[in-house]
Amino acid sequence: MMRDDLDFFARVGDVLRKRQENVESVVSEIIGPKLQKFLLNHWAKEIEGIPVLCRLSRVQLAKTCRKYLKIENLTDDAIEKTKQRLGLKSLRRRSRP
């Protein structure tokens, strides 16, 4: 409420109206859009000191997402699956001759 994030409360209301199978399904409904937005906004451009995400390794990407989204229980697999669903491709590092 302090951040005036009314969309968050609207999403929570939507989640609560749906029948949930388990805690993970509730959490993924709330975290999903936040992670998607973060990945899309920062994938190919450095913004506000957040590195270009497409150049990070899987481990670095997960660490960066957890740090800036402030979601400690965000798993590497959840980030990878979200990245794949969005069709985001990592830049391949060129090997040096």
Side-chain angles (χ1 to χ4, degrees):
M1 284 177 87
M2 293 174 67
R3 290 185 291 160
D4 196 27
D5 189 1
L6 299 178
D7 290 337
F8 169 79
F9 292 104
R11 289 192 313 269
V12 169
D14 291 342
V15 169
L16 293 175
R17 277 195 286 297
K18 294 179 188 175
R19 180 176 171 86
Q20 302 299 322
E21 299 297 320
N22 54 37
V23 174
E24 285 78 25
S25 65
V26 173
V27 171
S28 69
E29 287 284 332
I30 295 170
I31 291 174
K34 191 174 183 179
L35 175 59
Q36 290 173 7
K37 186 176 178 181
F38 181 78
L39 290 173
L40 290 171
N41 287 339
H42 300 281
W43 193 251
K45 184 171 30 168
E46 182 179 335
I47 301 172
E48 299 175 1
I50 298 171
V52 178
L53 300 180
C54 68
R55 294 190 174 154
L56 301 179
S57 69
R58 181 180 167 134
V59 172
Q60 292 170 321
L61 177 61
K63 197 176 201 180
T64 301
C65 288
R66 281 192 286 272
K67 176 181 176 182
Y68 289 100
L69 292 172
K70 295 177 176 55
I71 304 172
E72 292 302 318
N73 63 344
L74 188 57
T75 66
D76 295 9
D77 287 337
I79 295 166
E80 187 65 24
K81 294 281 187 206
T82 302
K83 183 182 107 171
Q84 290 172 355
R85 270 189 236 110
L86 293 171
L88 299 173
K89 304 288 183 192
S90 297
L91 289 179
R92 303 265 185 229
R93 292 195 169 103
R94 292 184 218 163
S95 58
R96 295 185 181 177

